[in-house]
Amino acid sequence: MNTDRNTLRSVLREKFPRDHGQLLPALHFLQHEFGYLPDWGMEVVGWHLGIPASEVYGAATSYTELRTTAPGNHVIRVCTGLGCRINGAGVILETVRESFAETNGKEITIEETPCGYLCGMAPALEIDGVWHGRVDAGSVKAHLKELSQS
Amino acid sequence: MSRTQDGKTIVTVQVSHCSMSVGASEVAEALAAALPDDAVMITAGCDGACFDAPQVLATTASGERHRYVRVNPESAREIAAQVASGSLSDTVRTNGFHSGQRRITLDGCGELDCEVIDSYLDRGGYSGLANALAMSAEELIEEVKESGLRGRGGAYFPAALKWQGARSVNVEPRYLVVNSEEGEPGVFKDRHLMEGVPHRILEGAIIAAYATGANFALIYINAEADLSAEVMQHAVDQASQFGIIGKDILGSGFELSVEIRRGAGGYVCGEETTLLNTVEGYRREPRLRSPFPTEPALSLPKGWGRAGDGDSTASHQPIFPSASIDGFMRPIRPQPKSPPPGRGPCGWGWCGRAAVDPRPPDKPGRRRCCTGPGGRSRGTPPRWAAPARAPRRARPRPDPSGPGNGRGRGAPARCRGGHGRCAPAPPVWTVSPPSSRCGRRSRRSGRSRGRR
């Protein structure tokens, strides 16, 4: 663990100047590397930038896109923002949750996003970083079947 | 190198965040594999007709343009075959969306090659910047003030006033922040600008930075907008190579460095003070408005003079210095109080189609997405994406025994309505629909009925 902290600290030292304003870029980098923000990682970011760990944690948890718990092997994010909600996102979410059992036990994280910015293609959902627009229950089931077979 | 080569058919695939979700990348791959060698394929952003995505435009050497809508990989191969044989068919489905449009901000969106700066330069790009740099910053602010350019973020704040406020702050360094967060659910207009005409936003940002005296610019892009960030970063890199960003821009002595910053989600990050908080590395919480964002705040370790300009405002700026103010403003003067023309809303109209409408609304809130040829289709009711309004609060009714009650004014106790003379002024709103009854038994005035 100490080795990881030191390695991470040296990487941060190369990539980010020691400035309070670099907190969000550093957190983005951390989430990109690990898939989420581990507690020890946030502490190292605080060391490098000179920010108390509590403030780093407070800032990190205030953002909807950053997660502090490890996600599953696959992440499905259903947009439940205004545009998708009035175009049937509830049905999509229910379909995804019901299909959870059909995915051969793979660890799947289902999240809701406030807006995927695909309002012209509502309803939309993201599977492993790829957005699919103009979906309905049938096409969602087809996508999830592909996911379970992969 | 310019891609507009004579004698070749140019096939434009509109690949953007929205059209990629319905298979535009696969269409682009299929076209790239199937097109003949004497045709040129370029990728552009979406032009606003999201309901018809993915779209493919084919422009022949003679200048004829054909538009294909809702293209999938099979129809992409058919298009490639048509290009090879030289006989392009008419559009698969015509719609009135593009007719009658006079594109100002979205000019070139969906047609310009977003990977190559030359396509923007060929259209007169960055001439507005050259004109602006030839004036002094104070002259530039006066010109913008005279034009009446206002922000497009919803507050319609005059851009020149904001720049003047930032310039008057005597602290260094100054930062310009371009607000491309676009956090409001249901709004998807800035993506089109960033993915379609990124250089126009850059040009506007450089002009604004010159006016405010900022030497650092940050373009703050949403966490979800990966393609927009990629395209904007590519545009920044290309502009740096051409000497449009960096030291001594176009020989004027002005220096600017541009950085792309990503947000991390949330509607509130689009608010000016919250955005500045996130840029400075704090929680995403708004601040109170005094001190204003252009003033150095006591809570900061360094005194930063900042001005924030929205994405759409930045994209409007290069347009007017490239022509005279009068020539640009004549068709749309006088500027209405609200909303200003040139940036229509985005939403769903009668036909249930989602679109970004660049036509100026003649009346606020009017639905214009399908008033072209073909008329309206009686489809689903309109569902405009508008921010929720607070419900009307109940206000207390005026005292019925107040003065003037006997003469039929004020709010008498009983009335069956119809004569309207006892309607209170100002109108009294309650949670239930306002009643026109005032309790009177007859239509005769209070004098003939005796004092009440």
Side-chain angles (χ1 to χ4, degrees):
Chain A
M1 183 64 79
N2 275 337
T3 312
D4 281 348
R5 285 177 191 236
N6 289 335
T7 313
L8 179 62
R9 191 171 187 179
S10 56
V11 169
L12 289 175
R13 200 178 287 133
E14 285 168 19
K15 290 181 83 68
F16 302 104
R18 193 166 189 206
D19 180 38
H20 203 295
Q22 297 289 324
L23 177 63
L24 195 50
L27 291 177
H28 271 304
F29 170 74
L30 208 60
Q31 170 135 326
H32 186 70
E33 288 290 305
F34 298 103
Y36 71 113
L37 304 176
D39 287 345
W40 63 268
M42 285 196 276
E43 204 180 331
V44 174
V45 166
W47 289 347
H48 172 61
L49 299 177
I51 304 173
S54 57
E55 282 193 26
V56 176
Y57 184 80
T61 48
S62 70
Y63 296 107
T64 55
E65 298 287 322
L66 301 177
R67 53 174 85 95
T68 49
T69 51
N73 292 336
H74 301 280
V75 179
I76 299 174
R77 297 163 77 220
V78 181
C79 177
T80 51
L82 175 67
C84 294
R85 196 181 285 271
I86 63 179
N87 277 293
V91 169
I92 305 296
L93 193 58
E94 283 311 307
T95 311
V96 169
R97 287 187 174 144
E98 281 163 16
S99 306
F100 191 91
E102 302 173 11
T103 48
N104 296 341
K106 284 196 175 115
E107 250 186 53
I108 292 189
T109 305
I110 301 173
E111 289 177 354
E112 297 181 37
T113 58
C115 192
Y117 306 97
L118 286 172
C119 313
M121 309 295 163
L125 85 164
E126 184 191 38
I127 301 176
D128 287 338
V130 177
W131 279 97
H132 302 276
R134 288 188 201 140
V135 293
D136 52 14
S139 55
V140 165
K141 284 184 183 155
H143 284 306
L144 293 180
K145 195 172 276 186
E146 277 177 36
L147 187 71
S148 63
Q149 286 163 0
S150 64
Chain B
M1 193 69 72
S2 175
R3 300 273 186 100
T4 54
Q5 300 177 23
D6 293 329
K8 296 199 173 184
T9 302
I10 301 173
V11 178
T12 310
V13 185
Q14 295 186 352
V15 178
S16 65
H17 178 64
C18 52
S19 57
M20 271 167 58
S21 72
V22 288
S25 312
E26 288 82 15
V27 166
E29 280 171 18
L31 268 179
L35 274 178
D37 292 334
D38 61 346
V40 174
M41 188 179 102
I42 61 177
T43 50
C46 177
D47 66 357
C50 308
F51 48 87
D52 272 343
Q55 292 188 90
V56 172
L57 308 176
T59 311
T60 60
S62 56
E64 274 177 30
R65 174 169 292 171
H66 299 258
R67 179 185 299 272
Y68 301 88
V69 300
R70 296 257 178 159
V71 181
N72 52 32
E74 287 84 45
S75 47
R77 285 185 271 274
E78 282 175 27
I79 295 169
Q82 287 176 16
V83 168
S85 67
S87 62
L88 293 166
S89 72
D90 286 331
T91 57
V92 174
R93 185 176 83 218
T94 56
N95 59 69
F97 180 74
H98 292 95
S99 64
Q101 288 184 2
R102 186 170 60 91
R103 296 186 158 224
I104 301 178
T105 312
L106 282 173
D107 182 35
C109 199
E111 298 160 22
L112 291 180
D113 188 348
C114 41
E115 293 173 10
V116 171
I117 194 174
D118 291 0
S119 55
Y120 184 65
L121 292 172
D122 287 344
R123 280 205 178 211
Y126 289 111
S127 60
L129 175 63
N131 289 345
L133 290 176
M135 311 177 208
S136 70
E138 287 78 15
E139 285 169 6
L140 178 61
I141 292 177
E142 279 309 309
E143 185 143 346
V144 174
K145 200 183 279 187
E146 198 190 300
S147 79
L149 180 71
R150 289 214 209 100
R152 298 293 193 262
Y156 300 122
F157 192 83
L161 284 186
K162 193 177 266 195
W163 297 353
Q164 207 163 41
R167 195 170 180 81
S168 63
V169 172
N170 288 324
V171 290
E172 296 286 339
R174 290 201 188 103
Y175 289 74
L176 177 84
V177 179
V178 179
N179 185 351
S180 308
E181 164 70 26
E182 194 174 43
E184 181 153 0
V187 176
F188 47 98
K189 56 178 171 55
D190 290 344
R191 301 305 157 90
H192 290 82
L193 287 175
M194 285 192 278
E195 292 162 5
V197 281
H199 287 284
R200 185 165 294 147
I201 296 173
L202 260 185
E203 192 179 351
I206 302 169
I207 292 173
Y210 177 65
T212 54
N215 296 112
F216 300 92
L218 301 170
I219 303 181
Y220 189 87
I221 301 181
N222 198 294
E224 293 285 350
D226 289 326
L227 181 64
S228 304
E230 200 182 302
V231 172
M232 286 298 296
Q233 184 64 60
H234 187 69
V236 166
D237 295 340
Q238 284 209 314
S240 300
Q241 284 170 12
F242 272 69
I244 296 169
I245 295 174
K247 296 191 193 304
D248 197 21
I249 294 172
L250 301 182
S252 64
F254 176 59
E255 180 185 338
L256 180 71
S257 65
V258 178
E259 191 186 332
I260 307 276
R261 286 280 185 98
R262 302 296 302 278
Y267 185 0
V268 70
C269 284
E271 196 273 322
E272 188 179 29
T273 54
T274 315
L275 193 150
L276 294 174
N277 259 345
T278 59
V279 162
E280 291 166 15
Y282 297 99
R283 296 172 62 92
R284 52 160 204 162
E285 284 168 352
R287 298 176 189 162
L288 291 177
R289 285 287 179 135
S290 183
F292 289 93
T294 48
E295 297 162 20
L298 293 174
S299 60
L300 293 177
K302 312 171 201 171
W304 289 3
R306 294 172 299 261
D309 260 341
D311 218 31
S312 323
T313 320
S315 61
H316 266 85
Q317 285 147 25
I319 299 167
F320 63 86
S322 60
S324 69
I325 286 286
D326 230 32
F328 171 66
M329 295 303 294
R330 200 177 295 129
I332 53 177
R333 258 192 183 145
Q335 283 261 0
K337 286 279 161 77
S338 86
R343 202 69 180 110
C346 40
W348 300 267
W350 282 100
C351 52
R353 303 191 296 193
V356 179
D357 187 355
R359 287 177 292 183
D362 49 10
K363 292 179 191 170
R366 183 163 178 162
R367 298 162 189 97
R368 303 257 332 225
C369 83
C370 48
T371 52
R376 275 187 194 172
S377 60
R378 302 284 173 194
T380 51
R383 297 169 291 186
W384 283 102
R389 289 177 171 235
R392 287 172 175 165
R393 288 171 296 152
R395 282 202 221 164
R397 283 188 174 276
D399 187 1
S401 61
N405 198 34
R407 294 180 188 168
R409 299 194 191 100
R414 294 173 300 159
C415 164
R416 285 193 201 146
H419 50 76
R421 278 185 296 168
C422 57
V428 175
W429 293 110
T430 57
V431 175
S432 56
S435 171
S436 61
R437 294 171 177 243
C438 67
R440 288 191 168 275
R441 285 193 177 183
S442 77
R443 289 175 174 253
R444 289 184 290 166
S445 69
R447 266 194 199 163
S448 61
R449 295 270 310 157
R451 201 171 167 80
R452 199 165 270 279

